[in-house]
């Protein structure tokens, strides 16, 4: 993907991304072609390829941008991670439901896993209030464990149509965590 900040390129990227999302509401992702995206966006083929390599590149670009916002929110509110997580999911509900409809909920997890080394650098500093949890442990394993657990919880919530309130899911998780703390492993 071309990372140009030229206003015309930014506008074209946005139009291409919106075209893909519109098409995903109507057709399975696997049946959508670059040609359809171009026609929906009403842009020239060269404009698409100047900004993206493929339809997958469009989707990955969108997800990586959304996840950058999520990481910033997590970094700024380490004390209430569950609220940050559910705010993120609610804000991106339509996209996540589209991904679920296309059996593609694994893609955000892949994007998160790509970012693990950067997360490690930012979050595992002694100034982090949760640093003590990782002290003398292999942080990569612990991060993967936590991210996998959280993503599976989010995926289940999405597959259930996000009908349970975020508060009830958070309460369930908090109760589970409090029970773990009471019993040694």
């Amino acid at each position: 993907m071309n990372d140009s900040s030229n206003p015309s390129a930014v506008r074209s990227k946005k139009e291409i991304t919106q075209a893909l999302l519109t098409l995903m509401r109507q057709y399975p992702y696997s049946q959508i072609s670059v040609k359809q995206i171009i026609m929906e966006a009403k842009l020239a083929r060269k404009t698409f390829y100047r900004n993206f390599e493929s339809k997958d590149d469009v989707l990955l670009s969108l997800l990586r941008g959304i996840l950058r916002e999520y990481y910033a929110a997590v970094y700024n509110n380490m004390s209430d991670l569950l609220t940050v997580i559910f705010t993120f999911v609610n804000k991106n509900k339509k996209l996540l439901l589209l991904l679920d409809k296309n059996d593609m909920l694994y893609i955000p997890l892949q994007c998160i896993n790509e970012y693990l080394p950067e997360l490690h650098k930012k979050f595992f500093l002694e100034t982090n209030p949760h640093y003590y949890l990782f002290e003398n442990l292999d942080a990569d394993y612990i991060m993967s464990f936590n991210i996998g657990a959280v993503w599976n919880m989010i995926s289940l919530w999405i597959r259930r149509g996000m009908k349970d309130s975020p508060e009830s899911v958070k309460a369930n998780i908090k109760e589970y965590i409090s029970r773990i703390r009471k019993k040694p492993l």
Side-chain angles (χ1 to χ4, degrees), residues 23-160:
L23 291 167
M24 285 178 70
R25 288 184 203 97
Q26 299 168 16
Y27 307 100
Y29 181 81
S30 61
Q31 293 178 7
I32 299 170
S33 67
V34 169
K35 182 177 181 178
Q36 284 176 290
I37 296 169
I38 293 165
M39 289 172 54
E40 181 70 29
K42 297 176 179 74
L43 294 171
R45 187 173 196 80
K46 68 180 179 180
T47 302
F48 180 92
Y49 286 109
R50 193 176 311 133
N51 292 288
F52 299 103
E53 293 177 15
S54 65
K55 72 176 180 182
D56 293 342
D57 193 25
V58 177
L59 185 59
L60 288 173
S61 174
L62 171 64
L63 288 170
R64 288 176 179 139
I66 289 169
L67 288 169
R68 276 191 296 276
E69 289 177 27
Y70 168 70
Y71 303 138
V74 166
Y75 190 72
N76 291 325
N77 193 359
M78 295 290 289
S79 62
D80 192 7
L81 292 176
L82 285 176
T83 297
V84 172
I85 290 165
F86 282 100
T87 300
F88 162 77
V89 173
N90 267 331
K91 181 179 176 186
N92 296 287
K93 181 178 182 173
K94 289 179 183 177
L95 174 61
L96 292 169
L97 288 169
L98 274 176
L99 291 173
D100 180 48
K101 177 180 141 188
N102 286 280
D103 295 321
M104 298 171 71
L105 281 176
Y106 64 91
I107 295 176
L109 180 60
Q110 286 177 334
C111 292
I112 292 167
N113 285 334
E114 285 174 9
Y115 198 65
L116 278 177
E118 189 64 30
L119 283 174
H120 190 184
K121 287 180 202 169
K122 284 186 178 180
F123 292 108
F124 297 100
L125 306 171
E126 290 185 26
T127 55
N128 180 324
H130 302 290
Y131 178 78
Y132 74 95
L133 292 170
F134 298 91
E135 195 172 19
N136 299 322
L137 298 174
D138 187 329
D140 290 335
Y141 282 116
I142 303 305
M143 284 187 344
S144 293
F145 174 80
N146 287 328
I147 289 168
V150 169
W151 191 252
N152 273 318
M153 174 205 56
I154 290 169
S155 296
L156 176 61
W157 189 46
I158 292 166
R159 281 192 306 276
R160 288 183 172 179

Side-chain angles (χ1 to χ4, degrees), residues 13-29:
K13 288 178 197 173
K14 192 178 276 187
E15 290 171 3
I16 291 166
T17 302
Q18 283 307 312
L20 175 61
L21 293 174
T22 298
L23 291 167
M24 285 178 70
R25 288 184 203 97
Q26 299 168 16
Y27 307 100
Y29 181 81

